Amino acid sequence: MITGFIPLCASPSIPPRHFLVDRRPPLREYDSSPCRALPREALFCSALPAPDAAVPRGFSSAGRRRPSRGLSAGCLCRLRRMVCKMSSDDSKSRGSEKPRMLFFHGIFLPPDCYTDKLATAWFEAISGDYDCVCLKSPRNNLGTVPPVVFEMFPDLREFPDWINSQKTRELRRLQGIKTYVGLEETLQFLQAYLNEQPRFDVLVGHSQGALIASILSLMIESEKDWLPVDKHWSAIVLFNAPGPYEAGTNLRERVARHGPMQIPSVHVFGGPTDYSWVGQQELRKVHHPDGRIVQHDGGHFFPQEQQYYDRILAELKELLA
C-alpha cells in the first residue's frame, strides 16, 4: 500500500505538491474504482500549479516541466501508469468485492415494505454474499389501492409502480389498446440509472418488479445500443412474475423477432395459491425457456422457509459461475 507522498525528483527545490493536485470529484458511495485503495494525495492528476501560485523554479510559464531538468513528460506518464497498476494489484490482493444486486419492488409497495416485513428472510439470506441496492420507482400509482395493502401497511402514504396496471387493463377493455401505460417513462429512467451506476451482476424483482427485470433483459439482448455491454448483468431472479408480455404490444413483437431470451434466470413460483400461478409458468416458457424453477407454497409472497433461499442462492451461484 502506498502511503504519503511519492518523491518525483531528488531536487528539494521542486515542491512535490505541484505534481500531486487531486482534481477528482468526491468519491461517491458506490465508487468501486481500483484507485480507491490509494490515499488521495498519492493520485497523479496534473502537473499544473494552482492558479494563484507562483511558477516554481524548473517550470515554464505554461506550467510544464522544462525538458532540460528533472522528469520528462514521458517519464511522468509512466509513473502515473505505475501507480494505477500498483493500485489495481493491491485491489486484487484484497480479494474481489461482493457481486452487486439490484432489487425491483412490486406494485404499490416501496422498498421499505420488503426490507422491513415482506422479504426480510430474503435480504438476510443474501446479506453475506451480495451487495444489494433496492431501487424505488419515481412513478406513483394514482389508481385504486387494494384494501389488503392498507391492512398490511396502515401507515403507507405512497404507492409506487413501474407500470400503471389498472390503466393498462382499462385501455385494453374499453379501447382494445394493447400497451403498458407508463412503461416508456420507466425504461428511460432505468436506462439513465443503469448507465450512471457501476455494473450490477444480478437483477431481482417481485411481481411487477419481476416483469421489469425481464423486460430490461429483453432490451439489452434485442437492442445492442440500449446499454453498454460492460453494464450488462449476468442473471435475473424473478419472484412471482406476472404472465407473459401482453399480446400485440411492441414488446411481444420484439420477442417474436428476437426469440427467447438467453440470459440465465431463476423463477420462484408461489404454487397454485398464487393468483398469477398460470401466468408465471407461461412467462417462463415463452420468454425464458431455460430458466431454473424453485416452487414454494407461500402464494404471491416470498417464501418463509430457509430451505428455499438456500436453493435459490445455490442455483444463482451456479449460473454466475
Side-chain angles (χ1 to χ4, degrees):
M1 177 67 70
I2 301 174
T3 58
F5 291 94
I6 300 175
L8 298 183
C9 181
S11 172
S13 61
I14 301 178
R17 67 183 178 87
H18 292 294
F19 288 98
L20 300 168
V21 179
D22 186 356
R23 302 186 188 278
R24 299 189 312 156
L27 288 173
R28 286 184 279 185
E29 182 180 359
Y30 52 77
D31 188 1
S32 58
S33 167
C35 289
R36 191 177 187 179
L38 288 175
R40 295 174 68 86
E41 303 87 14
L43 296 170
F44 294 93
C45 294
S46 174
L48 294 176
D52 298 330
V55 177
R57 190 175 69 180
F59 281 79
S60 69
S61 59
R64 295 192 178 90
R65 176 76 181 162
R66 290 195 181 99
S68 58
R69 298 181 184 179
L71 299 174
S72 67
C75 181
L76 181 60
C77 187
R78 286 193 294 274
L79 279 170
R80 286 185 177 131
R81 288 197 297 266
M82 179 186 71
V83 172
C84 290
K85 183 177 186 306
M86 293 174 67
S87 169
S88 178
D89 292 344
D90 180 71
S91 178
K92 292 177 182 177
S93 68
R94 290 184 287 109
S96 59
E97 297 181 355
K98 297 180 190 177
R100 303 185 75 237
M101 181 179 287
L102 181 60
F103 178 80
F104 299 100
H105 59 78
I107 188 172
F108 303 126
L109 302 174
D112 290 350
C113 295
Y114 289 88
T115 57
D116 297 344
K117 186 172 183 178
L118 294 179
T120 53
W122 164 250
F123 288 107
E124 289 175 3
I126 65 174
S127 61
D129 299 317
Y130 295 89
D131 286 330
C132 186
V133 175
C134 296
L135 184 61
K136 179 185 172 185
S137 170
R139 292 172 42 83
N140 195 44
N141 189 285
L142 301 178
T144 303
V145 179
V148 65
V149 174
F150 293 107
E151 293 173 8
M152 298 179 65
F153 303 98
D155 297 327
L156 199 60
R157 294 295 179 269
E158 52 184 355
F159 311 96
D161 66 7
W162 301 102
I163 299 168
N164 190 325
S165 299
Q166 293 172 327
K167 191 67 175 178
T168 295
R169 289 193 294 268
E170 181 182 339
L171 286 175
R172 184 171 64 241
R173 181 174 60 86
L174 297 178
Q175 304 178 30
I177 298 175
K178 303 294 182 66
T179 185
Y180 287 118
V181 177
L183 178 60
E184 292 303 321
E185 174 189 353
T186 291
L187 288 179
Q188 290 176 9
F189 164 75
L190 292 175
Q191 184 181 30
Y193 177 83
L194 292 167
N195 260 305
E196 70 179 16
Q197 295 289 315
R199 174 183 177 270
F200 290 98
D201 299 275
V202 185
L203 299 190
V204 181
H206 173 249
S207 192
Q208 193 183 89
L211 179 66
I212 292 298
S214 177
I215 292 174
L216 289 176
S217 301
L218 171 67
M219 296 302 295
I220 63 171
E221 286 193 15
S222 63
E223 193 170 326
K224 64 178 182 179
D225 297 329
W226 195 79
L227 198 68
V229 175
D230 61 352
K231 299 286 188 179
H232 290 189
W233 43 94
S234 302
I236 57 177
V237 180
L238 308 182
F239 285 90
N240 310 97
Y245 309 154
E246 291 290 340
T249 63
N250 57 347
L251 286 177
R252 196 68 176 261
E253 295 167 0
R254 187 187 291 264
V255 171
R257 294 192 303 268
H258 172 71
M261 279 172 268
Q262 304 301 313
I263 189 165
S265 58
V266 179
H267 300 255
V268 186
F269 296 157
T273 57
D274 186 348
Y275 74 90
S276 62
W277 164 246
V278 175
Q280 293 175 41
Q281 297 181 77
E282 190 179 351
L283 180 137
R284 188 193 67 83
K285 292 177 182 177
V286 174
H287 305 319
H288 306 276
D290 298 325
R292 313 269 180 108
I293 299 176
V294 176
Q295 182 177 332
H296 62 93
D297 56 0
H300 201 70
F301 295 95
F302 282 72
Q304 297 302 312
E305 295 80 5
Q306 182 63 36
Q307 59 175 325
Y308 295 113
Y309 295 116
D310 292 340
R311 184 177 168 194
I312 294 169
L313 293 178
E315 297 280 9
L316 185 57
K317 183 177 182 180
E318 185 175 333
L319 293 177
L320 293 178

